Amino acid sequence: MLNFQLIYKRRSILGFFLILCNMDISKIQNQLEKFAIERDWRQFHTPKNLAMALSVEASELVEIFQWLKPEESNSPDQKQIESINDEVADIAMYLLRFCSVLEIDLESAIKSKLERNSEKYPINLSKGNSQKYNKR
């Protein structure tokens, strides 16, 4: 089971990536496929619909933090953590379903993007700097 609370507290993209790599993504995608087939929902799982659903779920995650002070967002209470876990799971499930429908290898896509980001954001120019690479 993913510990999203630990990832959230550590705010580690690498940590999230490592947990993703330890997940059996194919098994989860198969479970999601089975879930959709049993409910006759494959007809609705188009890339457009899944992308829209993914956006909605991401917005629901944002809503949890809306109007919180920065220090409040750094220390969510138990009820908020439960809501965060639910929304993160929804986001992950829609993302995995989206990747499955379009036959995207998520691990390869992430590795490739991390490599490109490393080139765009070299440590010597990016460390402690929040400016986008094309704004420097």
Side-chain angles (χ1 to χ4, degrees), residues 61-132:
L61 179 62
V62 169
E63 185 179 28
I64 296 167
F65 295 97
Q66 188 178 19
W67 312 120
L68 294 181
K69 295 175 185 165
E71 59 275 6
E72 291 172 323
S73 70
N74 286 328
S75 301
D77 62 31
Q78 189 57 42
K79 183 178 177 186
Q80 290 167 322
I81 288 172
E82 289 171 14
S83 295
I84 291 166
N85 282 336
D86 285 346
E87 299 311 331
V88 169
D90 286 340
I91 291 165
M93 289 188 297
Y94 276 120
L95 179 61
L96 289 176
R97 189 74 183 113
F98 181 86
C99 290
S100 183
V101 167
L102 288 178
E103 298 180 359
I104 294 169
D105 180 336
L106 182 59
E107 185 175 357
S108 294
I110 291 171
K111 284 179 180 178
S112 175
K113 183 63 175 175
L114 280 172
E115 287 172 12
R116 289 194 310 276
N117 282 351
S118 292
E119 292 171 11
K120 279 195 228 177
Y121 299 98
I123 294 170
N124 64 321
L125 296 176
S126 301
K127 191 168 187 173
N129 184 349
S130 64
Q131 281 189 322
K132 192 169 178 176

Side-chain angles (χ1 to χ4, degrees), residues 2 6-7 9 19 25 42 53 76 90 95 100 108 117 121 133-134:
L2 287 176
L6 181 62
I7 294 168
K9 286 188 176 201
I19 287 175
I25 291 175
R42 286 177 75 197
D90 286 340
L95 179 61
S100 183
S108 294
N117 282 351
Y121 299 98
Y133 69 96
N134 61 356

Side-chain angles (χ1 to χ4, degrees), residues 48-66:
K48 176 195 76 77
N49 287 350
L50 291 168
M52 291 171 67
L54 183 56
S55 175
V56 169
E57 295 302 336
S59 294
E60 289 178 9
L61 179 62
V62 169
E63 185 179 28
I64 296 167
F65 295 97
Q66 188 178 19

